[in-house]
Amino acid sequence: MKINKKIKKAIGLIHLWLGLFTGIIVVIIGITGCMYVFEQEIRDYLQKDYAFVPARQQPQASLTKLMQEFEKIAPAQKVTGIEINNTAPNATISFTTSKHHVYYLNPYNGSLVKKTKEDFLVTVEEIHTSLLLGDTGKFIIRWSVVIFLLMLISGLILWFPGQVRLIKQAITIKWGASFKRVNYDLHNVLGFYASGILLVSALSGLYFGFKEVKTAVSFLSGSKLTEGVKAAPALQPFLKETIPEHYERIYRKAIVQYPGAILTNLSIRKDGNLRLRLNYPSDWARKRNTFFYSPENGQLIRSKLYKDFNKADWIEAGNYNLHTGQMFGLFGKIVATIVSLIAASLPITGFIIWLKRGKKKKIKISTLKSSAISLHF
């Protein structure tokens, strides 16, 4: 397919200026994205000294007991999240606070095992999604991904050789050539090889960032994202309970009614409601049961069970694993890491190409001026 020179030149200018405009953001997204791919493995390593305590021949303490012990350890701290590993009785229970401290308690008696700040991966994720700038940063990231998507498409158009005989040259890096040529090949050849996966990664990122994308995907799937099922009104008035007793009742009832969860998360939402998530073993998409409760009396408001997911729900559940490469296991993670690094390199190699061309033009103009002066004399 031969492209008109004027059209190709226009596409080249669009590609150039979009790259100059968003290059630094793409570098940040690429580097933080590749760091976060192996977040679970990194966390397992960082927490290896306090994720577990020596096993005992005794049952775990109740969540009520653990919360009461936490209140003694950190009386001024407000709990915003609790994480429970359901696969190992000797796994520490983590309490996250509004001040971003994390307390790891002994599951048998509630004693403090470790107090720490949230790990650096939390910051990495926030940089990746918002540049640490809140809603303003999220807006910048969303539209930078849109621009990056346009750059991928325009880059493929620019890469496409005008003749079949030039394809081999277009997919090969000439390592023995000059720095300028190697840099040019790194930009074009690596960009070509990574483009397919980067297109998928960018589109899955847009799914996170834009409600309109979610709506469009739901429409194409022939289904609609569900909010879950509203709970029926309580037939009997709830007994007066303390907050720890709320949590205990909610947690125990959920894991008995829906067994098999490997991880339980309890957190306080921005609207004040309590959210409980039960995470189950999964392959390509997250299997998760989610419940929302009133903070006043612990009454169930609504629930969303993975067994009731429609197509749109399963797409939403699988999008994170697709975005991070986890959907394809270790191989997918390695590929996602490499491709993220390539994405981060493209604005850098592209910028060098632009600088070299600008320098070449200046030399050419200078040469022409010198020639004109010589002719004049």
Side-chain angles (χ1 to χ4, degrees), residues 76-299:
Q77 296 282 348
K78 179 183 177 182
V79 176
T80 56
I82 302 173
E83 185 170 282
I84 303 168
N85 183 337
N86 300 116
T87 62
N90 64 323
T92 53
I93 312 297
S94 69
F95 286 73
T96 303
T97 72
S98 57
K99 293 184 179 179
H100 306 292
H101 289 105
V102 184
Y103 295 76
Y104 294 86
L105 303 190
N106 187 308
Y108 299 111
N109 56 27
S111 61
L112 180 64
V113 176
K114 179 76 173 181
K115 174 191 173 183
T116 183
K117 285 275 191 180
E118 288 181 321
D119 62 53
F120 77 96
L121 287 171
V122 174
T123 303
V124 168
E125 184 182 21
E126 289 180 359
I127 294 172
H128 187 75
T129 56
S130 69
L131 302 174
L132 300 178
L133 297 174
D135 290 339
T136 302
K138 288 178 182 178
F139 177 86
I140 294 170
I141 291 291
R142 283 199 301 265
W143 286 103
S144 294
V145 175
V146 171
I147 292 171
F148 182 62
L149 192 61
L150 294 174
M151 289 179 63
L152 287 172
I153 296 168
S154 61
L156 281 171
I157 295 171
L158 293 171
W159 167 89
F160 200 88
Q163 299 177 33
V164 176
R165 66 183 179 84
L166 298 175
I167 290 179
K168 185 179 179 181
Q169 181 179 320
I171 60 173
T172 306
I173 299 174
K174 297 169 185 63
W175 294 107
S178 65
F179 169 79
K180 179 181 175 181
R181 179 67 198 194
V182 171
N183 181 76
Y184 180 84
D185 286 346
L186 286 172
H187 186 78
N188 287 274
V189 178
L190 292 183
F192 165 71
Y193 282 125
S195 59
I197 298 173
L198 286 174
L199 282 168
V200 173
S201 182
L203 288 169
S204 60
L206 292 179
Y207 185 91
F208 290 121
F210 291 93
K211 290 181 180 179
E212 295 82 0
V213 175
K214 281 190 177 185
T215 302
V217 171
S218 297
F219 175 78
L220 292 172
S221 73
S223 55
K224 189 176 179 181
L225 279 170
T226 59
E227 289 292 324
V229 179
K230 287 186 178 180
L235 298 176
Q236 296 178 347
F238 279 86
L239 298 174
K240 287 186 177 180
E241 296 175 315
T242 63
I243 290 177
E245 288 171 340
H246 275 345
Y247 280 53
E248 175 71 26
R249 174 174 55 80
I250 288 167
Y251 169 63
R252 292 298 169 190
K253 184 177 180 180
I255 61 172
V256 169
Q257 192 170 357
Y258 303 98
I262 57 174
L263 192 70
T264 300
N265 296 100
L266 295 104
S267 59
I268 303 297
R269 302 271 287 170
K270 288 182 179 179
D271 59 9
N273 289 335
L274 173 64
R275 181 181 66 189
L276 182 144
R277 283 176 165 174
L278 298 179
N279 299 278
Y280 298 84
S282 58
D283 297 319
W284 66 273
R286 289 179 171 183
K287 291 181 178 178
R288 175 185 285 164
N289 290 338
T290 306
F291 309 86
F292 298 89
Y293 301 88
S294 165
E296 288 79 22
N297 54 25
Q299 181 178 353

Side-chain angles (χ1 to χ4, degrees), residues 296-369:
E296 288 79 22
N297 54 25
Q299 181 178 353
L300 180 64
I301 299 171
R302 62 183 171 91
S303 60
K304 185 171 182 177
L305 309 179
Y306 74 83
K307 71 178 182 65
D308 298 325
F309 282 3
N310 58 30
K311 288 181 182 178
D313 292 325
W314 278 117
I315 291 171
E316 182 183 50
N319 189 65
Y320 177 84
N321 287 359
L322 177 64
H323 189 68
T324 59
Q326 293 182 32
M327 185 176 287
F328 307 101
L330 179 61
F331 173 77
K333 288 184 175 185
I334 293 171
V335 170
T337 301
I338 294 170
V339 168
S340 293
L341 288 173
I342 291 174
S345 75
L346 292 177
I348 298 170
T349 52
F351 183 70
I352 293 171
I353 291 170
W354 176 68
L355 282 179
K356 292 290 183 182
R357 283 181 179 172
K359 187 177 180 181
K360 185 178 178 181
K361 284 181 181 178
K362 285 182 180 179
I363 293 171
K364 189 175 180 181
I365 292 168
S366 178
T367 304
L368 287 170
K369 283 182 178 178

